[in-house]
Amino acid sequence: MNRVRSALAHLIAVVAVLLMPLALTSAWSSAVVNDEDRWVETVGPLATDPDVVNAVAVRLEDLAVATVDVGGAERALEDILGADLGGAGARTEQALREAVRQVVVRVVSSDVFPPAWEEAMRATHTQLLRALRSDSGAEVSVDLGPLLQAVLDSLSEQGLPVTVDASGLDAAFSVASSGELDQARAGYQVVDAAGLGLPVAVALLAAVALLVSARRMVTAGILLVGAALSAVVVWLGLGAARTLLLDRAPTADRNLLAAMYDVLVADLERLALLVVVAGPAVLVVLLLLRRLGGRRRREPAA
């Protein structure tokens, strides 16, 4: 009878272990990916991240330079930079880029940037969930249009001939292409359907396995070591996903995408690391306690 109980307990424990990677991921997804406010709270602080600020500044500078009529900008540039350009085309283009860079730096360093970044992240989150939950969808991107418009308005105020406003330009950078979303959709929908119910179910399975088992230390070992291995699988999966994402991204966008990815999965990485450390540690403690208990039982009564 004890053998049957132990076999059943071990089977339940193995099922719980096999479900643990999905349970960890679904718990994180429910808490971060599916919650718009938590998403914005997580990625909002990137508005002060140097890699993000630099990537946004480079994109805004390139777009803004293309909107200015170089031929009509020389006099205004001489006033802005306090230098005589002498009618040289190359010097005028160089001066234009320098003037635009100064404006862009002011915009991304001002109080305008953090709320504009948060609003862009909110819109990106809406795009992402719509794309993942539907049968198909366009790419997910971060719209820098409001920031670009702030740059163009400042350039116009300085007398530079801006030929188009931000609404006529593609001021977004891609986070995920439609092809990448097609590949991720099935996995996300499984995780989304599991929700917070799966972690609870895994915990219940582990409890049942321990209650049923006639050899609870062995069952506890299966659960704790299995949990650690499951967390390693999650950690390796996150690393592989990061590599795949950045390999497919344009070189200019990689630092920004890396910063976004790292901050979004940071909670899941910390949870996985905690499980990797705690699982074996708890097992060692249980083994030590069992050994000490055995010694005390063998000691002769005083």
Side-chain angles (χ1 to χ4, degrees), residues 192-209:
D192 189 39
L196 292 175
L198 184 59
V200 173
V202 168
L204 290 175
L205 285 173
V208 170

Side-chain angles (χ1 to χ4, degrees), residues 8 19 50 67 82 84 87 95 171 174 180 193 203 216 219 229 235 244 246 269 271 275 286:
L8 178 60
L19 291 174
T67 69
D84 182 7
S174 176
E180 290 169 335
R216 289 180 179 169
T219 304
L229 293 175
W235 189 81
L244 184 62
L246 298 185
E269 287 182 330
L271 177 59
V275 174
L286 291 176

Side-chain angles (χ1 to χ4, degrees), residues 131-190:
L132 289 174
R133 288 174 173 171
S134 63
D135 292 334
S136 62
E139 70 174 22
V140 174
S141 60
V142 176
D143 183 18
L144 302 177
L147 290 168
L148 177 60
Q149 190 60 57
V151 172
L152 298 183
D153 290 344
S154 181
L155 293 174
S156 295
E157 290 170 3
Q158 295 184 48
L160 290 171
V162 175
T163 59
V164 64
D165 62 21
S167 62
L169 298 170
D170 180 9
F173 66 84
S174 176
V175 173
S177 68
S178 59
E180 290 169 335
L181 290 168
D182 288 340
Q183 294 175 358
R185 186 172 294 110
Y188 169 79
Q189 291 177 353
V190 170

